[in-house]
Amino acid sequence: MDIFHPLAGVQTEASLEIMKAGSILRKAKSQIWRHRHYKLQEDCKTIAYKSSWALNSYSTCDVEAVREGHQSEVFLSMAGEFPPERCFTLVFHGRRGNLDLVAESAEEAQAWIQGMRILIDNLENMDKREKLDQWVSDLFIKADKNRDGRISFKEARRLLKLMNMDMNEDHAWLLFRRADKSKTGMLEGDEFILFYKMLTERTEILELFQDYSSDGETLSHCDLEEFLREEQLEGERSHEHALELIEQYEPSDTGKTCHIMSIDGFLMYLTSVEGSIYNTDYKHLYQDMTQPLNHYFISSSHNTYLLEDQLKGRSSVEAYIQALKRGCRCLEIDCWDGSNGEPVVYHGHTLTSKIFFKDVVTTVAKYAFKVSEYPVILSIENQCSIEQQKVMAQILKDTFGDMLLKTTIDGKVPHELPSPEELKGKILLKGKKIGGLECLEVDSPVSVEVSDEDEAAETLKSSPTAESWPSESKVGKPKSKQNISKEFSDLIIYFKKVPFRGFEHASSHSKPYEISSFSESKARKYIKEAGCDFVQYNTRLLSRVYPSGLRTDSSNFCPQEMWNVGCQTVALNFQTAGIEMDLNDGLFSQNNRCGYVLKPDILRNRERCFNPERPQDCKDFCPLNLTIQVISGQQLPKISKKEGSIVDPFVRVEIYGVPLDQTKQETKYIENNGFNPCWSEILEFVVHTPELALVRFVVEDYDKASKNDFIGQYTLPFSCIQTGYRHIHLLSKDGTSICPSSLFVHIKITEVTEVPRAS
């Protein structure tokens, strides 16, 4: 791997050399400090460290970010012990905990900080081809057990197991001999690459290539144009696009000059971002961002401060950083009285750890607009005394400064909510408020009604173990009335929290800046009893739905049924991987991942009466046929760590949307082949409300004796699907890439010829 970074120059090389020489760094964990020798290996891919009992290592590609100074709970709690210039934190992908380290000098800390950032940047800037080369290089290193830079046939057989492939020994030996050009019985450098290419030969793509090739060897400009027009359904754009693809993906200069594409260029195109199932037009900011806030789905988090469960789990500012990096725009902060007059954040009346409110606010201020410039909403569960509410208000104003919205954008009481565009770069608070937005002169605290849907109250009512948790000495149990300080109340502008008193009452009395919260069970009840009314409610007002207090493991509910009626802020536990977060990531993967997605017209138009239970009643009802040919899979990851274990993969396609669209189908499983399984099966669906549908591709390892094991998934909005021959680049449970794992499919979307109508 090329470790030179053009912007870093000599400083980069010096940093990496210091890392390679090794450093004595102190690890902070549970208040106990350990000295360890950390050293970057020569390949710049691995950092080894020696503990008192063993030599360990971790891959640099496992590190997501490096944070400088005191930016973790450990360092914040021990801020006086070590100067920030000697401290740094390594943040790992997935749910692995952070690594807090202290160098012996500020210069040494900077070397590790700058060096790690360069290594991370190099990995992030790799294209698909470079990542594949990296993967192949790593395979070679794993297979080369005796580290002599060569691969024997015995090592090659072991490699096939590592690659999730159970190949006939005679066939493996035949390929090995073909690749062994030097006739030494060993594979070196280019010979190993040749062996790998023979293993990964894509016969299904070669056949497709030859179907459109005039001479059987290349695709002329006209051949490629025909493929784009007939298979990828590109129409008039196909002529210019064919030339662009040859210029971009054909590796041969001769091919570019002659406007022809080789099989290598064709494969590079099909495995590129352009060849993926996701239409890149929708990955950019393509939606109208000038409509009222209640016309958008807003990526929202529940109990954002938690990294684990909501009974005994760890609270962390890291959880806010991760949520914001994921595009979340509505964060929850549960505030309680702390000692020494400092408000704290944690899950009240439980054993979850506590973090300071000021640290949360400081973190949000730093990371709020790194991923998206559109507004961040802080949903404040305010359980503090009047004194500490005043402290909270001052912290918010001092830390956020001009970012904090302190008045309506035009100084007037709004008739409708402002747009995301008008609120760019602003932080808004959601919480209980004294009175409305009209000028209200109040000098003393005022009691405000606590909603039946107040989250803290709901959690305590629901939790079977609530009585066993220690009580708060100052706060006590939630009451039906709570005193709110004017200082805090004045900071609530467009998100005044109010109890829900029914759809009829809301239509005649509710103000556009008011918002009600619903537990998942209450929301389901209203959806079932008055789905149309809920849709109409959400065309005018904002609603928030949150998980039941009984979900003590911080599991999630399916957000789709709430989106079906237009609920904007459907709050999920971002720290808990699973189908629910896959759907959330899928919905918000569009529109530049800005955290705001414009709801379809059927959920915004007040003149319409959309009923998700009966979409066929809509006058412009237009269901679509979705036909998916699941062709093959590529380099699926191993599930078991046992060397001889190989997966038996199958693919399931799941549709999420209105009740009529909730369905799934799956292929047969392929025995002992996770490397290049071939299914060639067709799955067919009718999607009745395409504008609300999400499609989830799941790969699992079949097991007839127990539950199937998850291998990978990919979820996207139906509206963002590209037709034709496409690759699906799979993601892990945590939503991170597992390159080079992919599926190869053919997608066809057509109108349903006979449309069923309401009787």
Side-chain angles (χ1 to χ4, degrees):
M1 180 181 68
D2 181 9
I3 58 166
F4 181 75
H5 192 285
L7 298 180
V10 176
Q11 184 181 358
T12 299
E13 294 189 49
S15 296
L16 293 171
E17 288 305 315
I18 290 172
M19 292 175 69
K20 287 180 182 179
S23 301
I24 299 296
L25 303 173
R26 296 184 179 189
K27 179 186 175 186
K29 188 177 182 181
S30 304
Q31 306 292 318
I32 299 172
W33 292 88
R34 298 188 179 95
H35 292 74
R36 289 176 176 173
H37 186 261
Y38 289 81
K39 182 178 181 180
L40 177 67
Q41 302 300 287
E42 285 298 321
D43 61 6
C44 289
K45 298 173 185 175
T46 308
I47 292 177
Y49 62 92
K50 190 173 184 180
S51 64
S52 56
W53 59 88
L55 182 66
N56 301 292
S57 66
Y58 58 86
S59 172
T60 54
C61 65
D62 291 338
V63 182
E64 179 182 341
V66 57
R67 307 240 165 86
E68 195 169 350
H70 296 163
Q71 292 195 60
S72 71
E73 277 67 53
V74 171
F75 282 139
L76 288 170
S77 65
M78 308 176 73
E81 293 199 35
F82 295 95
E85 60 269 18
R86 288 170 51 197
C87 303
F88 62 97
T89 301
L90 299 184
V91 181
F92 294 91
H93 291 288
R95 302 189 69 183
R96 181 175 172 180
N98 294 349
L99 179 59
D100 299 298
L101 297 168
V102 180
E104 294 186 334
S105 68
E107 292 74 21
E108 196 162 33
Q110 275 302 307
W112 278 83
I113 291 165
Q114 296 303 323
M116 283 304 307
R117 284 176 178 166
I118 295 304
L119 295 174
I120 292 166
D121 286 346
N122 280 340
L123 287 167
E124 289 180 348
N125 292 329
M126 282 184 183
D127 59 25
K128 290 284 181 186
R129 174 61 59 181
E130 290 170 327
K131 286 180 180 177
L132 182 58
D133 290 344
Q134 178 79 50
W135 190 76
V136 174
S137 174
D138 291 343
L139 277 177
F140 184 90
I141 293 169
K142 285 180 181 178
D144 185 15
K145 291 291 283 184
N146 61 2
R147 299 290 185 266
D148 65 352
R150 304 186 302 168
I151 302 293
S152 67
F153 181 65
K154 183 179 179 180
E155 288 173 325
R157 289 287 292 152
R158 179 176 175 274
L159 175 67
L160 293 176
K161 299 287 186 182
L162 288 172
M163 294 166 74
N164 230 344
M165 192 176 191
D166 188 15
M167 182 181 285
N168 174 275
E169 186 164 350
D170 291 339
H171 184 57
W173 174 240
L174 178 64
L175 295 182
F176 186 91
R177 286 175 60 192
R178 284 182 189 169
D180 182 17
K181 299 295 185 182
S182 61
K183 307 299 180 185
T184 61
M186 306 288 283
L187 301 183
E188 302 183 43
D190 292 342
E191 292 175 333
F192 177 77
I193 292 171
L194 178 60
F195 180 62
Y196 175 81
K197 281 188 173 181
M198 287 190 287
L199 287 174
T200 55
E201 188 174 56
R202 301 283 300 276
T203 55
E204 75 277 28
I205 287 182
L206 181 59
E207 290 170 3
L208 179 62
F209 178 84
Q210 290 175 338
D211 284 344
Y212 281 89
S213 172
S214 300
D215 60 8
E217 299 292 331
T218 61
L219 290 178
S220 68
H221 170 244
C222 292
D223 293 339
L224 184 56
E225 183 182 343
E226 182 184 4
F227 171 77
L228 295 175
R229 188 174 59 251
E230 296 295 321
E231 299 293 353
Q232 313 298 70
L233 300 182
E234 292 195 5
E236 296 177 1
R237 179 173 174 255
S238 59
H239 179 79
E240 295 78 12
H241 196 210
L243 289 173
E244 292 170 4
L245 293 179
I246 291 171
E247 182 62 32
Q248 186 169 359
Y249 296 108
E250 172 53 40
S252 160
D253 290 336
T254 303
K256 290 179 181 179
T257 303
C258 298
H259 301 312
I260 58 175
M261 181 176 271
S262 65
I263 181 64
D264 287 340
F266 189 58
L267 180 58
M268 286 179 69
Y269 153 60
L270 286 176
T271 55
S272 71
V273 172
E274 279 192 88
S276 78
I277 192 172
Y278 206 115
N279 189 333
T280 54
D281 290 345
Y282 298 116
K283 286 198 170 184
H284 306 298
L285 191 71
Y286 72 96
Q287 293 184 331
D288 177 10
M289 302 302 288
T290 64
Q291 299 199 30
L293 279 173
N294 57 294
H295 284 185
Y296 297 84
F297 294 124
I298 304 171
S299 181
S300 306
S301 168
H302 176 250
N303 290 349
T304 313
Y305 45 88
L306 287 177
L307 287 172
E308 299 160 20
D309 71 83
Q310 64 183 41
L311 287 185
K312 295 182 287 184
R314 185 159 55 98
S315 303
S316 172
V317 295
E318 183 64 37
Y320 287 93
I321 297 171
Q322 294 299 329
L324 287 166
K325 287 180 68 175
R326 213 160 173 172
C328 185
R329 297 285 90 187
C330 184
L331 311 171
E332 186 176 37
I333 308 178
D334 287 7
C335 306
W336 299 81
D337 277 5
S339 58
N340 301 320
E342 283 231 48
V344 293
V345 175
Y346 83 115
H347 201 54
H349 302 284
T350 70
L351 299 179
T352 56
S353 63
K354 300 174 183 178
I355 51 179
F356 288 119
F357 176 76
K358 66 179 180 182
D359 292 337
V360 171
V361 174
T362 300
T363 299
V364 172
K366 184 172 181 180
Y367 290 92
F369 304 109
K370 286 186 179 292
V371 169
S372 170
E373 58 188 345
Y374 290 101
V376 169
I377 303 156
L378 299 184
S379 181
I380 308 286
E381 287 296 315
N382 176 13
Q383 307 297 332
C384 289
S385 61
I386 291 297
E387 292 75 18
Q388 295 205 16
Q389 286 182 46
K390 292 179 181 179
V391 174
M392 287 167 56
Q394 197 60 50
I395 289 171
L396 289 164
K397 288 187 284 189
D398 290 346
T399 308
F400 290 138
D402 291 341
M403 288 191 292
L404 182 64
L405 192 76
K406 305 180 190 73
T407 182
T408 56
I409 56 174
D410 58 2
K412 299 176 182 177
V413 177
H415 297 292
E416 65 177 14
L417 286 168
S419 69
E421 191 69 26
E422 292 173 298
L423 293 169
K424 266 185 181 179
K426 291 296 183 183
I427 290 172
L428 300 85
L429 303 187
K430 166 188 169 288
K432 299 159 195 164
K433 182 177 179 65
I434 303 166
L437 286 179
E438 299 77 14
C439 182
L440 188 63
E441 294 297 331
V442 180
D443 293 321
S444 57
V446 173
S447 293
V448 175
E449 182 177 358
V450 175
S451 162
D452 288 339
E453 281 78 31
D454 179 271
E455 292 184 42
E458 165 101 5
T459 299
L460 283 174
K461 284 191 297 181
S462 301
S463 175
T465 58
E467 293 303 319
S468 66
W469 301 118
S471 62
E472 296 297 305
S473 57
K474 291 185 181 179
V475 179
K477 295 180 181 178
K479 302 171 184 177
S480 58
K481 295 280 184 179
Q482 181 189 4
N483 284 339
I484 300 295
S485 77
K486 183 177 187 300
E487 292 85 351
F488 184 80
S489 172
D490 286 349
L491 299 179
I492 308 296
I493 308 300
Y494 289 119
F495 294 92
K496 177 187 177 182
K497 187 174 179 180
V498 297
F500 179 72
R501 293 191 173 92
F503 295 117
E504 188 175 341
H505 180 274
S507 65
S508 56
H509 293 86
S510 292
K511 307 286 197 303
Y513 54 82
E514 294 177 337
I515 179 172
S516 293
S517 291
F518 304 84
S519 69
E520 58 175 288
S521 55
K522 290 279 180 71
R524 283 198 196 96
K525 175 178 180 289
Y526 293 129
I527 290 169
K528 184 177 180 180
E529 295 176 357
C532 289
D533 292 336
F534 213 164
V535 171
Q536 281 297 305
Y537 173 89
N538 286 318
T539 64
R540 296 176 293 104
L541 299 165
L542 279 162
S543 60
R544 183 173 192 267
V545 184
Y546 60 91
S548 163
L550 289 172
R551 294 184 180 273
T552 54
D553 59 351
S554 291
S555 59
N556 284 309
F557 60 89
C558 180
Q560 186 67 52
E561 57 189 323
M562 318 307 176
W563 292 331
N564 287 342
V565 293
C567 295
Q568 299 87 352
T569 56
V570 181
L572 299 179
N573 290 300
F574 270 47
Q575 76 274 24
T576 307
I579 295 172
E580 301 82 10
M581 276 307 300
D582 293 345
L583 295 176
N584 196 78
D585 288 343
L587 175 66
F588 292 102
S589 63
Q590 59 187 310
N591 209 32
N592 203 31
R593 296 184 179 271
C594 74
Y596 288 82
V597 169
L598 187 65
K599 296 194 291 185
D601 183 67
I602 54 175
L603 297 179
R604 304 194 316 266
N605 193 329
R606 296 181 190 179
E607 304 304 317
R608 305 178 68 162
C609 190
F610 176 69
N611 182 353
E613 294 287 338
R614 293 189 59 80
Q616 63 269 36
D617 291 350
C618 284
K619 63 179 180 180
D620 52 358
F621 176 62
C622 185
L624 297 173
N625 287 315
L626 171 63
T627 304
I628 302 171
Q629 182 187 10
V630 182
I631 302 170
S632 62
Q634 294 76 45
Q635 287 101 300
L636 303 178
K638 285 174 68 71
I639 301 302
S640 173
K641 292 184 179 179
K642 294 180 181 177
E643 188 172 304
S645 175
I646 298 173
V647 300
D648 304 325
F650 69 93
V651 178
R652 183 171 60 251
V653 178
E654 304 168 346
I655 310 294
Y656 294 85
V658 298
L660 208 56
D661 287 336
Q662 297 284 138
T663 187
K664 56 189 175 185
Q665 295 181 39
E666 59 190 41
T667 68
K668 63 180 181 295
Y669 66 91
I670 305 294
E671 287 190 6
N672 290 328
N673 190 353
F675 186 70
N676 56 359
C678 185
W679 295 277
S680 293
E681 290 190 49
I682 293 177
L683 310 178
E684 296 185 279
F685 305 88
V686 175
V687 182
H688 301 83
T689 310
E691 54 266 64
L692 281 172
L694 292 166
V695 183
R696 183 173 183 256
F697 295 84
V698 192
V699 186
E700 290 184 353
D701 178 18
Y702 175 77
D703 193 328
K704 61 183 177 183
S706 60
K707 184 180 178 182
N708 298 324
D709 289 318
F710 174 90
I711 293 176
Q713 68 84 29
Y714 190 82
T715 307
L716 77 165
F718 178 90
S719 58
C720 297
I721 290 176
Q722 289 198 109
T723 55
Y725 286 96
R726 304 292 173 185
H727 277 88
I728 299 169
H729 301 285
L730 296 174
L731 305 175
S732 69
K733 273 187 178 179
D734 292 316
T736 55
S737 171
I738 47 177
C739 182
S741 301
S742 63
L743 297 176
F744 186 48
V745 299
H746 183 269
I747 305 288
K748 187 177 180 182
I749 298 174
T750 57
E751 290 188 7
V752 175
T753 50
E754 292 187 18
V755 180
R757 290 291 174 185
S759 57

